[in-house]
Amino acid sequence: MWTARVFTLYPEIFPGPLNKGLYGRALGKKTWNLEVVNIRDSAEDKHKTVDDTPFGGGSGMLLKPDILGKSIDSNIKKGEKIFYLSPRGKKLDQKIAKKLSKEKTINLVCGNFEGIDERIVRARNMEEISIGDYILSGGEIASFVVIDSVLRLLPNVLGNDKSKNDESFENGLLEYPQYTKPQIWEKKSVPEVLLSGDHAKIKDWRLSQSEAITRDRRPDLWQKYK
Ligand code: SAH
């Protein structure tokens, strides 16, 4: 069973959005597993201190390496990969999501405040993953994003296993436009070809739409696709 173990100071916000719909059902059926570790449980003083000020000055607080280290070491199993959600990390994409879906367990460390002490990132060999070029207040929402992107790749989580192969990025292209009923809405009809029943023609049309949209909106993806 694919497992995400999340290290956080806010355990109460999990599973949160991961408990909805098919993901929630799959969680209930143990198709996947979520373990949430409260970093604060590893604090040692009576105030349950987890953070401190940065050496060298500067604003904000950093998660202490001793506390985080204790939390990690008493919860992970040998051989498991540890990922730190961080704006400095490799940017999450479909390829990384696929790679993560092949692991048995992923450990996700959520920073807070100004981040975490650099030594533990290295000492525990963490791989850093970013969800984009902006700064969040904590790693929790980023961990939801990472887990969501993996869950839809796991077998038996989404009802229709084929649907995920048609999505944007699967073939390096953005998705073609899609339409549903009613066939005419606000005097606008859906593209004729989709009503033709000619599956080869529909496939061609969709590919050409995907290509046009990708060329237009994402020159970076288009360069790689060509
Ligand atoms: N001082 C840090 C930012 C800390 S933000 C810096 O400038 O790099 C606080 C926490 O939010 C981080 O420790 C990280 O876990 C999380 N976080 C912020 N932005 C993120 C992003 N784009 N992707 C993933 N995690 C992020």
Side-chain angles (χ1 to χ4, degrees):
M1 176 181 23
W2 186 83
T3 297
R5 188 182 295 113
V6 182
F7 293 84
T8 175
L9 289 172
Y10 302 98
E12 66 281 2
I13 68 176
F14 292 85
L18 300 172
N19 208 17
K20 73 165 194 330
L22 292 172
Y23 286 2
R25 203 171 322 153
L27 185 59
K29 286 197 303 197
K30 298 239 176 270
T31 308
W32 70 285
N33 183 33
L34 179 67
E35 277 180 43
V36 182
V37 177
N38 187 352
I39 298 168
R40 201 174 293 279
D41 288 345
S42 295
E44 285 160 343
D45 62 339
K46 76 169 193 292
H47 301 292
K48 294 271 171 203
T49 307
V50 292
D51 57 340
D52 215 323
T53 53
F55 281 115
S59 67
M61 303 288 270
L62 294 170
L63 265 179
K64 285 154 57 63
D66 49 345
I67 306 303
L68 184 54
K70 191 177 148 203
S71 180
I72 289 173
D73 295 346
S74 54
N75 284 286
I76 71 161
K77 302 197 176 59
K78 232 183 131 185
E80 290 174 357
K81 290 201 170 132
I82 308 174
F83 300 91
Y84 169 43
L85 281 326
S86 151
R88 290 189 327 193
K90 205 165 164 208
K91 222 186 280 177
L92 180 68
D93 60 15
Q94 198 61 14
K95 212 169 107 197
I96 295 181
K98 253 186 200 158
K99 201 184 86 181
L100 298 179
S101 75
K102 304 262 155 55
E103 297 289 330
K104 195 167 172 299
T105 300
I106 62 165
N107 292 282
L108 298 172
V109 176
C110 304
N112 265 281
F113 324 118
E114 267 314 299
I116 69 185
D117 186 289
E118 183 74 18
R119 289 168 294 180
I120 185 142
V121 178
R122 309 200 172 219
R124 292 298 175 274
N125 211 2
M126 296 183 195
E127 263 177 64
E128 297 183 49
I129 296 180
S130 165
I131 65 160
D133 291 339
Y134 38 77
I135 308 291
L136 303 168
S137 60
E140 284 76 14
I141 290 174
S143 79
F144 287 138
V145 172
V146 170
I147 296 170
D148 190 327
S149 73
V150 173
L151 288 182
R152 48 190 321 296
L153 298 173
L154 299 178
N156 307 323
V157 170
L158 293 189
N160 179 359
D161 265 349
K162 217 188 123 307
S163 71
K164 63 191 177 220
N165 297 322
D166 295 339
E167 310 272 350
S168 292
F169 303 122
E170 277 307 319
N171 53 2
L173 291 172
L174 301 176
E175 198 185 51
Y176 45 80
Q178 303 237 61
Y179 304 87
T180 186
K181 294 181 185 79
Q183 193 180 314
I184 295 171
W185 174 73
E186 292 193 347
K187 296 190 184 144
K188 297 174 195 60
S189 183
V190 307
E192 205 60 42
V193 57
L194 300 178
L195 308 171
S196 69
D198 183 337
H199 293 296
K201 227 164 92 187
I202 292 173
K203 209 171 155 203
D204 283 351
W205 180 84
R206 286 180 164 165
L207 179 62
S208 68
Q209 291 285 314
S210 272
E211 290 180 343
I213 289 172
T214 308
R215 195 185 320 124
D216 221 48
R217 300 186 188 179
R218 292 291 301 273
D220 56 323
L221 293 178
W222 182 244
Q223 280 309 321
K224 272 192 228 155
Y225 174 76
K226 280 200 309 182

